[in-house]
Amino acid sequence: MSNELMTKAVTYEVNNEEVKLSGQIVKQYLTSGQAVTDQEVTMFIQLCRYQHLNPFLNEAYLVKFNGKPAQIITSKEAFMKRAESNPNYAGLKAGCIVERDGELIYTEGAFTLKTDNILGAWADVIRKDRREPTHVEISMDEFSKSQATWKNMPATMIRKTAIVNALREAFPQDLGALYTEDDKNPNEATQTTYKQEPEVNTTKTADVLAKKFSGAPQIKSVENVQESEEESNNASNHGETTEPVNGVEEPTATAEVEQGKLL
């Protein structure tokens, strides 16, 4: 299927208009940044096809930078079109969350005072088939990318992001797989690390607890005590003593007490 999509064009309809996509068209006109792979192009074509997106109207495009896997970006306008096409959509409200004169204020729209400290944004999406609107609140610290647009129009950007997140939550079947460039894509971290070898964690539980409680003495776990006689003798040279019980050395009462305190 991947090779076929790279050589043959796929045709589908978006708002009664015909859209034709092929691998060559995507690579030549609809990508930004570094060169994309055939697999990434195939995923992009399939998403546009099944979600009825028109990339020639900037409803979706493919972005790849810094050697990371390509990301499929969807515009806010595409979110709005999909939501408005749902018969249960009944409108939305959105605004900013700011700190003003020591109080937390929920504003309407993207208007804020110069003295406001913009903390985040909120959005309500209303559906005819639900008793309560879908309410979403997001923080500026989590979503701000510190780019020029976010610095120049922070209220507009954070409000737009809140709207997109609320729409996705209100219409998961229509928008669940779509993300804008300002979104936090939960798959992004997995995509950028799935080829890396997993790290083996060799830290002992007792070591972690002892490190967490800086005032507590370093202790040995039962597993360490049972490893070998040589390690037990080595431990005794550092002030830790053990007593043989049925041929197996166990920690002293003092070590057990300290371990009990930590656990």
Side-chain angles (χ1 to χ4, degrees):
M1 175 63 72
S2 176
N3 293 334
E4 183 178 349
L5 290 177
M6 294 302 297
T7 57
K8 297 182 180 180
V10 172
T11 303
Y12 58 95
E13 285 190 1
V14 179
N15 297 326
N16 298 322
E17 293 185 2
E18 185 179 272
V19 176
K20 183 178 293 186
L21 288 180
S22 68
Q24 183 178 0
I25 293 175
V26 172
K27 286 187 174 183
Q28 187 171 358
Y29 300 108
L30 303 173
T31 61
S32 299
Q34 300 171 339
V36 293
T37 65
D38 291 354
Q39 182 181 7
E40 292 167 340
V41 171
T42 300
M43 293 295 294
F44 177 77
I45 294 176
Q46 294 287 46
L47 180 69
C48 291
R49 176 186 178 187
Y50 289 114
Q51 294 291 348
H52 299 283
L53 299 173
N54 188 347
F56 298 104
L57 297 180
N58 293 326
E59 291 184 354
Y61 48 95
L62 203 56
V63 177
K64 186 170 185 175
F65 293 106
N66 301 324
K68 296 181 180 179
Q71 298 182 48
I72 301 174
I73 304 300
T74 310
S75 69
K76 177 201 168 193
E77 287 70 25
F79 271 75
M80 294 300 302
K81 289 181 181 179
R82 294 300 301 275
E84 291 175 355
S85 66
N86 191 300
N88 289 314
Y89 177 76
L92 64 83
K93 296 180 180 179
C96 297
I97 305 173
V98 303
E99 181 184 4
R100 181 182 299 169
D101 298 329
E103 295 184 5
L104 195 64
I105 305 295
Y106 286 68
T107 70
E108 294 281 349
F111 175 79
T112 59
L113 302 178
K114 291 184 178 181
T115 55
D116 287 342
N117 179 21
I118 303 175
L119 302 178
W122 64 274
D124 286 337
V125 174
I126 305 169
R127 288 185 54 144
K128 298 176 183 178
D129 59 342
R130 295 181 182 177
R131 297 181 60 182
E132 299 291 336
T134 299
H135 181 78
V136 166
E137 296 183 12
I138 62 174
S139 69
M140 178 69 79
D141 291 339
E142 183 179 1
F143 284 88
S144 175
K145 297 180 180 295
S146 299
Q147 296 172 347
T149 307
W150 280 86
K151 292 180 179 179
N152 295 331
M153 300 186 300
T156 299
M157 296 302 294
I158 194 65
R159 177 181 178 272
K160 181 187 77 171
T161 306
I163 291 175
V164 167
N165 278 265
L167 288 171
R168 187 188 302 111
E169 189 169 326
F171 300 99
Q173 292 185 344
D174 298 326
L175 303 170
L178 304 181
Y179 296 89
T180 69
E181 60 183 341
D182 301 309
D183 263 333
K184 290 289 186 180
N185 187 338
N187 298 320
E188 182 177 345
T190 303
Q191 290 174 345
T192 57
T193 60
Y194 76 100
K195 291 185 179 181
Q196 297 180 358
E197 293 293 331
E199 296 182 0
V200 179
N201 188 355
T202 58
T203 306
K204 304 296 184 182
T205 302
D207 297 335
V208 174
L209 293 174
K211 184 177 180 180
K212 181 177 180 181
F213 297 89
S214 58
Q218 296 289 333
I219 61 176
K220 289 178 66 66
S221 64
V222 175
E223 179 184 356
N224 285 341
V225 174
Q226 293 178 340
E227 285 182 352
S228 65
E229 180 179 356
E230 181 179 352
E231 290 184 358
S232 299
N233 293 334
N234 201 21
S236 64
N237 293 333
H238 291 81
E240 299 176 354
T241 60
T242 59
E243 298 178 0
V245 179
N246 296 329
V248 179
E249 293 182 345
E250 296 289 340
T252 63
T254 301
E256 291 177 350
V257 170
E258 293 296 334
Q259 187 177 11
K261 290 180 179 180
L262 295 176
L263 299 177

